[in-house]
Amino acid sequence: MSVLTKLKSLQGLERYQYYIDILHRSPLFRHYHPTDWQYEDWLFMDKTSEACFVRACGGSKTFDTINWIILRATINPHEKWAWMASASGQLDQARFYFQDHPFVKKVKGSVGKEIVYLHSGSRILLRGATASITGLRLDGIVLDEEEMLQPRQIAIVYPQLHGRLTFSSIGKFFHLGTLQADAPLFMENIEKYPTKIHDWKQCPWLVKAGHIQRMIDEGKTPEWEIDMLYRCIPTAPSGLVFPHIEIAHINYDSKEVQYGIDFGSKDMCVGVVIRNNICYVVEEYEFQLELNNAAYDFLNRRLIECEGGGYNDNDKYGAKSYMLVQRIHATRQAVSNRWKQERQMIGRGYDKIVIDRESCLNIYKDIKSAVFGPDGFYLKDNKHPNHYLDAFLHAIQPATLQWSF
């Protein structure tokens, strides 16, 4: 009986144990002795259509998953798979693993656009996360180092990936990564999809190497960095801005809601209810006032504050705020560092913030991922635009003084 025939005849754990026996015939794999949880992760991938895999740095997530995908493609040569990473340079390690595998015949192509050819006749695409992935029809995608995706990739490439699977009855998508404070997409996916998490102490090879334990013992590496990269505990360099967050369906009277609006290319609105020092986030909206001046008219004469004046003012934002004052009797609030500090303190002063995640997903993401920046305010940059968070801060204590013209 050939190796391929026997692999196809076996199921579950027996198949993987035989697979490892075959790999041990190669000198490059004689060190490879998967633990029980590594086998369990492979079995989990067999029966799961989409999931996240979080491991400590050096936790063998890339190596294990490549071994899984090669066996999968060998047994199912009709399936079309793609291995992706955020940058072409991050494909180097994956390429080495593919080239060293005894089931792989060759890897050909230009960097970031390679094809892995297996002896069984199967092929696996090896791609960077660029627009070149669009147009492909695939049965499965592995996105490695997802936490390293840049804002443009998150906005343009990532939304296209599920579309590559729509023609498939298999449609598997696996997200691999290490926890990182400025990786909102990966952190969001960890909450959204089934997730397997393994810290460094679950990895015998990391414990044996001793490097991580030495870093901990020496005390020179920040504790938050150890938590994120090796203990797989979500944290941030200067801490989370809003540490007390709960998710719940919220019953409320619409008359209780107070609103805040922040301007940008799109204009975001958040509605909150304050009861007994608990902030309930109950509504969120997104419109383009330039295209529809009447978009927020349904909030006429409600308690609502909009961005206006301060360091973030410009002619366009000023025009929007004046228009809302006239149309729906909103109040304007100048945005300054003093204002940010005051509103940040109010938000942190609540006993807890309760969010209806089902109807307020965007503000949930902003509040959940809000971390302190080097200036002591919540971090706001290209990876953390935080427009919904700004709207939330306008909502929690709306100014009541109307502007006159």
Side-chain angles (χ1 to χ4, degrees), residues 390-404:
D390 288 337
F392 167 77
L393 294 178
H394 280 291
I396 57 179
Q397 189 169 298
T400 56
L401 178 64
Q402 292 282 352
W403 285 61
S404 58

Side-chain angles (χ1 to χ4, degrees), residues 259 302-306 329-334 339 343 394-403:
Y259 298 91
R302 306 298 296 274
L303 185 56
I304 180 168
E305 175 183 291
C306 63
H329 300 85
T331 57
R332 297 175 73 236
Q333 174 60 56
W339 173 84
R343 295 300 175 90
H394 280 291
I396 57 179
Q397 189 169 298
T400 56
L401 178 64
Q402 292 282 352
W403 285 61

